[in-house]
Amino acid sequence: MEGLWLDQVDAVAQLGRRAAGDAQLEAIGSRMINDGFVVLPAAIAGAECDAVVNDYRRFIDDLGAEVEQHKDASGRLLRVVNFHLTSGSAANIGCNPRLMAILDFLLGDEASVYSSLYFEHGSQQPIHRDSPFFETFPRNLFFGMWVALEDVSIDAGPLMYVPGGHRFDCDPHRIYDAVAARMPGAARDALINESLEQYYGDVIRAASGFGTPTVVALKKGDVAIWHPQLPHGGSPALNPDLTRRSMVFHCVPSSRQVYQHDVFFAHRGPVPAPRYGFTRINDRSVALSGATTFQH
């Protein structure tokens, strides 16, 4: 495997053959090649979305007084990482057969779930790329899959993305080398963190050349999938009291491991040793990449 087929110069020519007469797959592939983003309307039943939200409420209730230590400065609960390893309802969505088949098609390989995030509110995260925290060998064998668990108001801080922004290149090794030259004698962790700041700055500057980000207020059960290099974020929440209940699943080929920003910037040479194992859910590989926990 040599990276995503979607990024190859003959991707459009490959599209029809790979879709094999499935008009939906062909349309999805075309959107991903051109925009780096596609929405699948009503891909998940409303009752399945409700089941995840109810699992989250039980999860919070079971914490009791401990829940207070997981709130941010504004008193709002942090996002929950790997909720699918605690909630069977969330795992069922992440391993939904049709969604997995679409990811098989986009990856050109059997898809698996690496990790997930549960959100009660909009992230309001600036435009960024996920790439540093989802490094694969070959690079870019990753997709983000966002599921709306309720109708998202435009005032709740919906997703935003930069159409076509997956097409510009930011070389992490070049950035790391430049940072190392500027900071001689600095510890490796300091170089990596500085490289990450430089990278995100480069992404924001380059993304601005593609125009104003598109804001997407999705409906309950809608699913958005984005290219690993697509600049995206959370738009400002005009009404911070509104919820934006959603889950993001980070999906990669079952044959690949995911590495973090240290590898993304500083690693050269052979593929690093595996860092985690797998379980099976609904006949799909699911990484045991970490416990269910709150995360900034």
Side-chain angles (χ1 to χ4, degrees):
M1 179 180 286
E2 297 181 359
L4 285 177
W5 66 268
L6 295 161
D7 296 336
Q8 296 170 8
V9 293
D10 63 341
V12 174
Q14 292 188 51
L15 179 57
R17 173 177 59 79
R18 289 179 176 273
D22 187 318
Q24 185 190 34
L25 286 182
E26 188 159 359
I28 289 169
S30 180
R31 286 294 306 275
M32 198 61 68
I33 291 169
N34 292 307
D35 292 345
F37 188 93
V38 66
V39 175
L40 311 175
I44 299 296
E48 293 184 76
C49 298
D50 294 341
V52 175
V53 174
N54 289 334
D55 281 356
Y56 175 78
R57 288 171 176 156
R58 283 190 289 270
F59 174 72
I60 296 302
D61 289 344
D62 288 346
L63 288 173
E66 182 189 337
V67 75
E68 293 301 318
Q69 65 184 277
H70 301 300
K71 292 182 177 180
D72 63 17
S74 68
R76 181 175 290 175
L77 280 166
L78 303 170
R79 64 190 186 179
V80 179
V81 65
N82 285 337
F83 189 55
H84 68 287
L85 296 179
T86 294
S87 165
S89 300
N92 286 338
I93 290 179
C95 297
N96 175 279
R98 182 55 181 166
L99 295 180
M100 284 285 106
I102 290 169
L103 290 167
D104 291 347
F105 163 70
L106 293 174
L107 289 166
D109 199 355
E110 180 187 75
S112 69
V113 174
Y114 165 65
S115 64
S116 70
L117 294 169
Y118 178 95
F119 293 90
E120 272 284 281
H121 296 86
S123 68
Q124 302 190 77
Q125 193 170 2
I127 289 292
H128 66 283
R129 279 176 167 173
D130 292 332
S131 308
F133 297 98
F134 299 95
E135 173 74 326
T136 60
F137 291 81
R139 182 164 284 165
N140 293 338
L141 295 176
F142 157 81
F143 283 95
M145 182 171 72
W146 192 92
V147 183
L149 300 176
E150 64 180 349
D151 290 350
V152 178
S153 166
I154 195 70
D155 293 334
L159 279 176
M160 60 180 179
Y161 72 98
V162 180
H166 60 302
R167 295 188 173 278
F168 68 82
D169 183 46
C170 285
D171 182 356
H173 290 156
R174 177 188 58 78
I175 291 172
Y176 182 83
D177 290 344
V179 168
R182 194 172 72 245
M183 299 170 59
R188 184 173 182 270
D189 286 351
L191 295 177
I192 289 169
N193 289 336
E194 180 64 23
S195 297
L196 185 63
E197 291 297 318
Q198 179 66 53
Y199 178 84
Y200 279 150
D202 288 353
V203 167
I204 289 171
R205 283 187 288 274
S208 67
F210 286 76
T212 303
T214 297
V215 176
V216 189
L218 301 183
K219 298 294 185 181
K220 184 177 182 177
D222 289 352
V223 173
I225 300 175
W226 61 82
H227 186 283
Q229 293 281 1
L230 184 73
H232 65 284
S235 62
L238 303 179
N239 182 348
D241 293 330
L242 292 175
T243 58
R244 194 201 72 175
R245 297 185 177 98
S246 56
M247 278 203 73
V248 177
F249 295 92
H250 308 121
C251 302
V252 300
S254 59
S255 60
R256 307 289 158 171
Q257 290 262 318
V258 175
Y259 302 90
Q260 304 299 312
H261 59 307
D262 58 330
V263 173
F264 182 75
F265 288 107
H267 180 79
R268 268 98 158 173
V271 178
R275 296 185 172 182
Y276 54 84
F278 296 87
T279 187
R280 299 286 291 185
I281 299 176
N282 294 348
D283 201 33
R284 284 285 172 167
S285 289
V286 175
L288 298 173
S289 58
T292 301
T293 186
F294 292 88
Q295 183 188 67
H296 286 280

